[in-house]
Amino acid sequence: VKATHAVDLASEWKECPDLAEMVNGPSDVAGRLKRGLERSTTVAQAVLLEYLPGEGEDGEKRALWLLNTHLFGHPDATHVRLVQACTLMHQVERLAKQKPAPDGSEPGIIL
């Protein structure tokens, strides 16, 4: 394990300009979406793993972000889950760029 990170899906959507603009819009739907996101306690866990090759392998180290979450579960909250999933992908892209694989490439991602 090379790194760990928690993603607070109830607030980190604010860091994605497109999502923040949509959620903070003037419509009633935007207001309900914002309330749903702010009331949610959903988090995701991210772990950066580094594969260390064994004897006889090519000798390259490889990296992989492994993420786990349970999106907001209310049956009528598909809009909240959609924003949470988009937020999570935005954060994963940011993490992959901040902590590249040992060879400088972007690590793999499993969600």
PDB file of all heavy atoms in Angstrom, residues 3-5 44-49 63-69 92 95 107-111:
ATOM      1  N   ALA A   3      -0.505   4.539  -0.696  1.00  0.00           N
ATOM      2  CA  ALA A   3      -1.236   5.718  -0.248  1.00  0.00           C
ATOM      3  C   ALA A   3      -2.697   5.337  -0.017  1.00  0.00           C
ATOM      4  O   ALA A   3      -3.189   4.369  -0.587  1.00  0.00           O
ATOM      5  CB  ALA A   3      -1.149   6.829  -1.290  1.00  0.00           C
ATOM      6  N   THR A   4      -3.357   6.109   0.830  1.00  0.00           N
ATOM      7  CA  THR A   4      -4.793   5.950   1.037  1.00  0.00           C
ATOM      8  C   THR A   4      -5.436   7.327   0.969  1.00  0.00           C
ATOM      9  O   THR A   4      -4.784   8.348   1.229  1.00  0.00           O
ATOM     10  CB  THR A   4      -5.118   5.302   2.398  1.00  0.00           C
ATOM     11  OG1 THR A   4      -4.611   6.144   3.434  1.00  0.00           O
ATOM     12  CG2 THR A   4      -4.524   3.917   2.511  1.00  0.00           C
ATOM     13  N   HIS A   5      -6.714   7.342   0.621  1.00  0.00           N
ATOM     14  CA  HIS A   5      -7.421   8.617   0.519  1.00  0.00           C
ATOM     15  C   HIS A   5      -8.911   8.366   0.727  1.00  0.00           C
ATOM     16  O   HIS A   5      -9.444   7.389   0.223  1.00  0.00           O
ATOM     17  CB  HIS A   5      -7.185   9.245  -0.863  1.00  0.00           C
ATOM     18  CG  HIS A   5      -7.790  10.594  -1.029  1.00  0.00           C
ATOM     19  ND1 HIS A   5      -7.246  11.728  -0.473  1.00  0.00           N
ATOM     20  CD2 HIS A   5      -8.904  10.992  -1.683  1.00  0.00           C
ATOM     21  CE1 HIS A   5      -7.991  12.770  -0.785  1.00  0.00           C
ATOM     22  NE2 HIS A   5      -9.004  12.349  -1.512  1.00  0.00           N
ATOM     23  N   ALA A  44     -16.081   7.454  -0.101  1.00  0.00           N
ATOM     24  CA  ALA A  44     -15.403   6.395  -0.852  1.00  0.00           C
ATOM     25  C   ALA A  44     -14.011   6.242  -0.257  1.00  0.00           C
ATOM     26  O   ALA A  44     -13.427   7.212   0.223  1.00  0.00           O
ATOM     27  CB  ALA A  44     -15.319   6.753  -2.330  1.00  0.00           C
ATOM     28  N   GLN A  45     -13.508   5.034  -0.297  1.00  0.00           N
ATOM     29  CA  GLN A  45     -12.154   4.772   0.159  1.00  0.00           C
ATOM     30  C   GLN A  45     -11.307   4.462  -1.067  1.00  0.00           C
ATOM     31  O   GLN A  45     -11.739   3.713  -1.944  1.00  0.00           O
ATOM     32  CB  GLN A  45     -12.098   3.567   1.115  1.00  0.00           C
ATOM     33  CG  GLN A  45     -12.970   3.697   2.343  1.00  0.00           C
ATOM     34  CD  GLN A  45     -14.399   3.261   2.079  1.00  0.00           C
ATOM     35  OE1 GLN A  45     -14.655   2.389   1.269  1.00  0.00           O
ATOM     36  NE2 GLN A  45     -15.335   3.881   2.767  1.00  0.00           N
ATOM     37  N   ALA A  46     -10.121   5.051  -1.106  1.00  0.00           N
ATOM     38  CA  ALA A  46      -9.204   4.825  -2.219  1.00  0.00           C
ATOM     39  C   ALA A  46      -7.857   4.367  -1.653  1.00  0.00           C
ATOM     40  O   ALA A  46      -7.362   4.950  -0.685  1.00  0.00           O
ATOM     41  CB  ALA A  46      -9.022   6.104  -3.026  1.00  0.00           C
ATOM     42  N   VAL A  47      -7.323   3.328  -2.246  1.00  0.00           N
ATOM     43  CA  VAL A  47      -6.029   2.791  -1.826  1.00  0.00           C
ATOM     44  C   VAL A  47      -5.160   2.653  -3.067  1.00  0.00           C
ATOM     45  O   VAL A  47      -5.584   2.083  -4.071  1.00  0.00           O
ATOM     46  CB  VAL A  47      -6.184   1.404  -1.154  1.00  0.00           C
ATOM     47  CG1 VAL A  47      -4.836   0.829  -0.767  1.00  0.00           C
ATOM     48  CG2 VAL A  47      -7.083   1.493   0.055  1.00  0.00           C
ATOM     49  N   LEU A  48      -3.956   3.195  -3.007  1.00  0.00           N
ATOM     50  CA  LEU A  48      -2.998   3.042  -4.091  1.00  0.00           C
ATOM     51  C   LEU A  48      -2.105   1.852  -3.769  1.00  0.00           C
ATOM     52  O   LEU A  48      -1.399   1.832  -2.768  1.00  0.00           O
ATOM     53  CB  LEU A  48      -2.151   4.307  -4.254  1.00  0.00           C
ATOM     54  CG  LEU A  48      -1.090   4.265  -5.353  1.00  0.00           C
ATOM     55  CD1 LEU A  48      -1.721   4.069  -6.726  1.00  0.00           C
ATOM     56  CD2 LEU A  48      -0.259   5.547  -5.332  1.00  0.00           C
ATOM     57  N   LEU A  49      -2.191   0.847  -4.635  1.00  0.00           N
ATOM     58  CA  LEU A  49      -1.395  -0.366  -4.459  1.00  0.00           C
ATOM     59  C   LEU A  49      -0.243  -0.363  -5.454  1.00  0.00           C
ATOM     60  O   LEU A  49      -0.394   0.109  -6.578  1.00  0.00           O
ATOM     61  CB  LEU A  49      -2.265  -1.598  -4.699  1.00  0.00           C
ATOM     62  CG  LEU A  49      -3.514  -1.722  -3.824  1.00  0.00           C
ATOM     63  CD1 LEU A  49      -4.359  -2.895  -4.286  1.00  0.00           C
ATOM     64  CD2 LEU A  49      -3.137  -1.854  -2.360  1.00  0.00           C
ATOM     65  N   ALA A  63       1.319   0.338 -10.622  1.00  0.00           N
ATOM     66  CA  ALA A  63       0.471   0.928  -9.594  1.00  0.00           C
ATOM     67  C   ALA A  63      -1.000   0.801  -9.987  1.00  0.00           C
ATOM     68  O   ALA A  63      -1.342   0.784 -11.164  1.00  0.00           O
ATOM     69  CB  ALA A  63       0.833   2.395  -9.398  1.00  0.00           C
ATOM     70  N   LEU A  64      -1.864   0.744  -8.954  1.00  0.00           N
ATOM     71  CA  LEU A  64      -3.287   0.571  -9.170  1.00  0.00           C
ATOM     72  C   LEU A  64      -4.058   1.252  -8.051  1.00  0.00           C
ATOM     73  O   LEU A  64      -3.777   1.019  -6.875  1.00  0.00           O
ATOM     74  CB  LEU A  64      -3.612  -0.934  -9.175  1.00  0.00           C
ATOM     75  CG  LEU A  64      -5.077  -1.326  -9.225  1.00  0.00           C
ATOM     76  CD1 LEU A  64      -5.629  -1.036 -10.614  1.00  0.00           C
ATOM     77  CD2 LEU A  64      -5.235  -2.798  -8.881  1.00  0.00           C
ATOM     78  N   TRP A  65      -4.992   2.133  -8.426  1.00  0.00           N
ATOM     79  CA  TRP A  65      -5.913   2.703  -7.443  1.00  0.00           C
ATOM     80  C   TRP A  65      -7.101   1.757  -7.328  1.00  0.00           C
ATOM     81  O   TRP A  65      -7.735   1.418  -8.315  1.00  0.00           O
ATOM     82  CB  TRP A  65      -6.417   4.079  -7.873  1.00  0.00           C
ATOM     83  CG  TRP A  65      -5.499   5.194  -7.525  1.00  0.00           C
ATOM     84  CD1 TRP A  65      -4.696   5.890  -8.364  1.00  0.00           C
ATOM     85  CD2 TRP A  65      -5.293   5.769  -6.229  1.00  0.00           C
ATOM     86  NE1 TRP A  65      -3.993   6.843  -7.685  1.00  0.00           N
ATOM     87  CE2 TRP A  65      -4.348   6.798  -6.374  1.00  0.00           C
ATOM     88  CE3 TRP A  65      -5.805   5.512  -4.959  1.00  0.00           C
ATOM     89  CZ2 TRP A  65      -3.903   7.569  -5.295  1.00  0.00           C
ATOM     90  CZ3 TRP A  65      -5.366   6.287  -3.884  1.00  0.00           C
ATOM     91  CH2 TRP A  65      -4.431   7.299  -4.060  1.00  0.00           C
ATOM     92  N   LEU A  66      -7.411   1.334  -6.117  1.00  0.00           N
ATOM     93  CA  LEU A  66      -8.553   0.479  -5.830  1.00  0.00           C
ATOM     94  C   LEU A  66      -9.530   1.295  -4.987  1.00  0.00           C
ATOM     95  O   LEU A  66      -9.147   1.811  -3.935  1.00  0.00           O
ATOM     96  CB  LEU A  66      -8.092  -0.767  -5.077  1.00  0.00           C
ATOM     97  CG  LEU A  66      -9.144  -1.786  -4.691  1.00  0.00           C
ATOM     98  CD1 LEU A  66      -9.826  -2.351  -5.935  1.00  0.00           C
ATOM     99  CD2 LEU A  66      -8.517  -2.900  -3.868  1.00  0.00           C
ATOM    100  N   LEU A  67     -10.778   1.437  -5.472  1.00  0.00           N
ATOM    101  CA  LEU A  67     -11.760   2.275  -4.785  1.00  0.00           C
ATOM    102  C   LEU A  67     -12.996   1.477  -4.419  1.00  0.00           C
ATOM    103  O   LEU A  67     -13.424   0.593  -5.161  1.00  0.00           O
ATOM    104  CB  LEU A  67     -12.183   3.451  -5.679  1.00  0.00           C
ATOM    105  CG  LEU A  67     -11.065   4.430  -5.933  1.00  0.00           C
ATOM    106  CD1 LEU A  67     -10.434   4.175  -7.270  1.00  0.00           C
ATOM    107  CD2 LEU A  67     -11.590   5.816  -5.812  1.00  0.00           C
ATOM    108  N   ASN A  68     -13.590   1.844  -3.286  1.00  0.00           N
ATOM    109  CA  ASN A  68     -14.793   1.199  -2.809  1.00  0.00           C
ATOM    110  C   ASN A  68     -15.749   2.273  -2.276  1.00  0.00           C
ATOM    111  O   ASN A  68     -15.330   3.184  -1.566  1.00  0.00           O
ATOM    112  CB  ASN A  68     -14.451   0.206  -1.690  1.00  0.00           C
ATOM    113  CG  ASN A  68     -15.688  -0.476  -1.157  1.00  0.00           C
ATOM    114  OD1 ASN A  68     -16.546  -0.925  -1.916  1.00  0.00           O
ATOM    115  ND2 ASN A  68     -15.790  -0.531   0.157  1.00  0.00           N
ATOM    116  N   THR A  69     -17.008   2.138  -2.629  1.00  0.00           N
ATOM    117  CA  THR A  69     -18.014   3.052  -2.107  1.00  0.00           C
ATOM    118  C   THR A  69     -19.388   2.407  -2.195  1.00  0.00           C
ATOM    119  O   THR A  69     -19.573   1.405  -2.890  1.00  0.00           O
ATOM    120  CB  THR A  69     -18.024   4.400  -2.860  1.00  0.00           C
ATOM    121  OG1 THR A  69     -18.852   5.323  -2.140  1.00  0.00           O
ATOM    122  CG2 THR A  69     -18.539   4.255  -4.280  1.00  0.00           C
ATOM    123  N   VAL A  92     -10.859  10.615  -8.697  1.00  0.00           N
ATOM    124  CA  VAL A  92      -9.933   9.544  -9.080  1.00  0.00           C
ATOM    125  C   VAL A  92      -8.945  10.047 -10.125  1.00  0.00           C
ATOM    126  O   VAL A  92      -7.747   9.760 -10.044  1.00  0.00           O
ATOM    127  CB  VAL A  92     -10.714   8.319  -9.603  1.00  0.00           C
ATOM    128  CG1 VAL A  92      -9.788   7.326 -10.268  1.00  0.00           C
ATOM    129  CG2 VAL A  92     -11.458   7.666  -8.470  1.00  0.00           C
ATOM    130  N   LEU A  95      -6.428  12.109  -8.306  1.00  0.00           N
ATOM    131  CA  LEU A  95      -5.493  11.272  -7.541  1.00  0.00           C
ATOM    132  C   LEU A  95      -4.474  10.594  -8.453  1.00  0.00           C
ATOM    133  O   LEU A  95      -3.289  10.526  -8.128  1.00  0.00           O
ATOM    134  CB  LEU A  95      -6.263  10.200  -6.759  1.00  0.00           C
ATOM    135  CG  LEU A  95      -7.063  10.678  -5.554  1.00  0.00           C
ATOM    136  CD1 LEU A  95      -7.936   9.546  -5.033  1.00  0.00           C
ATOM    137  CD2 LEU A  95      -6.148  11.196  -4.466  1.00  0.00           C
ATOM    138  N   PRO A 107      -1.578   5.377 -13.018  1.00  0.00           N
ATOM    139  CA  PRO A 107      -1.879   4.031 -12.518  1.00  0.00           C
ATOM    140  C   PRO A 107      -3.225   3.538 -13.029  1.00  0.00           C
ATOM    141  O   PRO A 107      -4.075   4.335 -13.450  1.00  0.00           O
ATOM    142  CB  PRO A 107      -1.894   4.214 -11.001  1.00  0.00           C
ATOM    143  CG  PRO A 107      -2.097   5.665 -10.777  1.00  0.00           C
ATOM    144  CD  PRO A 107      -1.587   6.375 -11.973  1.00  0.00           C
ATOM    145  N   GLY A 108      -3.423   2.232 -12.976  1.00  0.00           N
ATOM    146  CA  GLY A 108      -4.719   1.677 -13.309  1.00  0.00           C
ATOM    147  C   GLY A 108      -5.741   2.040 -12.238  1.00  0.00           C
ATOM    148  O   GLY A 108      -5.377   2.458 -11.128  1.00  0.00           O
ATOM    149  N   ILE A 109      -7.002   1.870 -12.568  1.00  0.00           N
ATOM    150  CA  ILE A 109      -8.080   2.225 -11.639  1.00  0.00           C
ATOM    151  C   ILE A 109      -9.122   1.103 -11.653  1.00  0.00           C
ATOM    152  O   ILE A 109      -9.561   0.673 -12.712  1.00  0.00           O
ATOM    153  CB  ILE A 109      -8.759   3.544 -12.039  1.00  0.00           C
ATOM    154  CG1 ILE A 109      -7.757   4.689 -11.972  1.00  0.00           C
ATOM    155  CG2 ILE A 109      -9.965   3.826 -11.138  1.00  0.00           C
ATOM    156  CD1 ILE A 109      -8.267   5.967 -12.605  1.00  0.00           C
ATOM    157  N   ILE A 110      -9.488   0.631 -10.472  1.00  0.00           N
ATOM    158  CA  ILE A 110     -10.605  -0.304 -10.321  1.00  0.00           C
ATOM    159  C   ILE A 110     -11.580   0.311  -9.328  1.00  0.00           C
ATOM    160  O   ILE A 110     -11.211   0.669  -8.219  1.00  0.00           O
ATOM    161  CB  ILE A 110     -10.141  -1.684  -9.803  1.00  0.00           C
ATOM    162  CG1 ILE A 110      -9.235  -2.357 -10.819  1.00  0.00           C
ATOM    163  CG2 ILE A 110     -11.359  -2.563  -9.502  1.00  0.00           C
ATOM    164  CD1 ILE A 110      -8.709  -3.696 -10.363  1.00  0.00           C
ATOM    165  N   LEU A 111     -12.828   0.447  -9.769  1.00  0.00           N
ATOM    166  CA  LEU A 111     -13.874   1.036  -8.918  1.00  0.00           C
ATOM    167  C   LEU A 111     -14.912  -0.027  -8.672  1.00  0.00           C
ATOM    168  O   LEU A 111     -15.410  -0.650  -9.545  1.00  0.00           O
ATOM    169  CB  LEU A 111     -14.504   2.241  -9.622  1.00  0.00           C
ATOM    170  CG  LEU A 111     -15.716   2.882  -8.962  1.00  0.00           C
ATOM    171  CD1 LEU A 111     -15.356   3.393  -7.576  1.00  0.00           C
ATOM    172  CD2 LEU A 111     -16.235   4.008  -9.818  1.00  0.00           C
TER     173      LEU A 111
END
